[in-house]
Amino acid sequence: MVIDTNFRTGYIAIIGRPNVGKSTLLNKLLQQKISITSKKAQTTRFRINGILTDQQTQFIFVDTPGFQTQYTNRLNTAMNRVVTQSMQDVDVILFVIEAMHFDQRDLTVLKILPKNVPVILVINKIDTLTDKNQLLPFLNDMAKAFEFATMIPVSAMHKIQLPELLNTIRTYLPVDQPLYDKDEITDRSERFIAGEFIREKLFRLIGDEIPYSTSVVVDQFKQEDNLRKIYATILVEKSNQKAIIIGKKGEKLKLIASQARKDMELFFGEKVYLEIWVKVKSGWADNESVLRNLGYE
């Protein structure tokens, strides 16, 4: 076997407060949706590795939940632990913030960044700026806040400066052989991805608060010829939340299932049969054993 002595492989943690576009950034870099997104904060709950391999480099991106500073139940404590643990043993950290926005929530995350790992400041959503001249003073202020390896303004949504970001990351990764096959895009199972697609639709289609009181369990994941049969349960805290998710004559739940199934079929590349039930499980977000079974702890 020929060893490429110039090939680079490394782990890159994507860190930031909720709702700055971390998962969108990961999906656009990979050119494949593996991390769920919505306009609501705290959509991401788990650490997800996204893998991008080109001729020179294997980038292993570690997408993390937004670091939570407002809520302190066991679920949010577990998610914050995912963030801090994800910064250990990585080669580069991308600290993602919104252009022209840096507040106490960002500062809280900034304070937990390690000093022994290169940190690239990624200023996202520059497409929203009406006056690009505002950016330079903002960059100067950020340079005083922390010793960043470098700072790169981007728009993840519109793929602005993402090639430049990849080229910059590459320079900080060690010379090493790839850890994954070139066609792999995530270390997460198809079963996990299916559950996340359902949970995304809850965040997108249900009112502001209810999705935070829900989780998704994939009960069965079966392959039958060219058809994947998936059976899942949505856990909720209260019976009235169950009624809202199901909707009048079951229409809301049918919409959630329909949209989730379309994402699954696009991701898996074949037909999916999906059935979803809703079950009341009071206090699941503070129940250590339930969280462990769901994979949060």
Side-chain angles (χ1 to χ4, degrees), residues 130-150:
T130 54
D131 182 6
K132 298 295 192 291
N133 292 324
Q134 297 175 299
L135 199 54
L136 185 57
F138 182 72
L139 291 173
N140 289 335
D141 289 340
M142 293 309 305
K144 298 172 185 175
F146 188 87
E147 193 174 338
F148 295 107
T150 189

Side-chain angles (χ1 to χ4, degrees), residues 40-75:
K40 298 183 178 71
Q42 288 299 99
T43 305
T44 301
R45 287 181 180 168
F46 300 92
R47 168 178 168 152
I48 301 173
N49 285 0
I51 304 154
L52 174 65
T53 307
D54 62 21
Q55 295 298 317
Q56 302 169 272
T57 310
Q58 185 167 90
F59 304 87
I60 306 169
F61 293 100
V62 183
D63 189 26
T64 63
F67 194 82
Q68 181 58 253
T69 59
Q70 290 182 291
Y71 305 106
T72 57
N73 63 20
R74 284 184 181 271
L75 172 60

Side-chain angles (χ1 to χ4, degrees), residues 16-222:
R17 65 168 170 81
N19 220 24
V20 292
K22 299 183 297 300
S23 295
T24 299
L25 177 63
L26 174 63
N27 292 338
K28 296 296 184 180
L29 286 168
L30 298 180
Q31 300 184 55
Q32 170 74 57
K33 178 179 178 178
I34 66 164
S35 190
I36 65 173
T37 62
S38 82
K39 292 182 179 179
K40 298 183 178 71
Q42 288 299 99
T43 305
T44 301
R45 287 181 180 168
F46 300 92
R47 168 178 168 152
I48 301 173
N49 285 0
I51 304 154
L52 174 65
T53 307
D54 62 21
Q55 295 298 317
Q56 302 169 272
T57 310
Q58 185 167 90
F59 304 87
I60 306 169
F61 293 100
V62 183
D63 189 26
T64 63
F67 194 82
Q68 181 58 253
T69 59
Q70 290 182 291
Y71 305 106
T72 57
N73 63 20
R74 284 184 181 271
L75 172 60
N76 284 290
T77 300
M79 290 194 296
N80 280 355
R81 187 161 57 247
V82 169
V83 177
T84 54
Q85 289 175 345
S86 295
M87 289 189 286
Q88 309 303 316
D89 301 321
V90 297
D91 302 289
V92 184
I93 292 172
L94 305 184
F95 177 41
V96 185
I97 63 173
E98 286 188 57
M100 310 311 298
H101 293 280
F102 186 84
D103 59 28
Q104 186 60 46
R105 296 169 297 169
D106 300 290
L107 185 59
T108 300
V109 183
L110 188 71
K111 289 178 178 178
I112 66 171
L113 294 177
K115 300 294 192 294
N116 61 337
V117 180
V119 179
I120 298 173
L121 179 66
V122 180
I123 303 99
N124 193 21
K125 306 183 184 182
I126 60 170
D127 55 293
T128 63
L129 296 180
T130 54
D131 182 6
K132 298 295 192 291
N133 292 324
Q134 297 175 299
L135 199 54
L136 185 57
F138 182 72
L139 291 173
N140 289 335
D141 289 340
M142 293 309 305
K144 298 172 185 175
F146 188 87
E147 193 174 338
F148 295 107
T150 189
M151 298 182 287
I152 302 181
V154 306
S155 168
M157 182 63 69
H158 298 282
K159 301 182 182 180
I160 297 172
Q161 294 229 118
L162 295 193
E164 289 81 359
L165 177 60
L166 285 175
N167 287 333
T168 301
I169 294 169
R170 193 190 321 268
T171 64
Y172 292 98
L173 300 183
V175 173
D176 202 354
Q177 295 308 294
L179 300 175
Y180 296 92
D181 291 341
K182 64 179 182 179
D183 295 329
E184 289 188 73
I185 60 169
T186 183
D187 65 336
R188 287 290 192 168
S189 69
E190 293 181 342
R191 187 185 191 117
F192 172 85
I193 297 293
E196 286 291 271
F197 284 155
I198 296 169
R199 201 166 59 78
E200 179 186 65
K201 303 315 170 190
L202 287 168
F203 272 81
R204 291 193 172 193
L205 298 172
I206 304 296
D208 287 341
E209 295 302 324
I210 289 178
Y212 296 97
S213 300
T214 65
S215 193
V216 175
V217 180
V218 176
D219 304 300
Q220 294 183 57
F221 189 101
K222 299 188 294 186

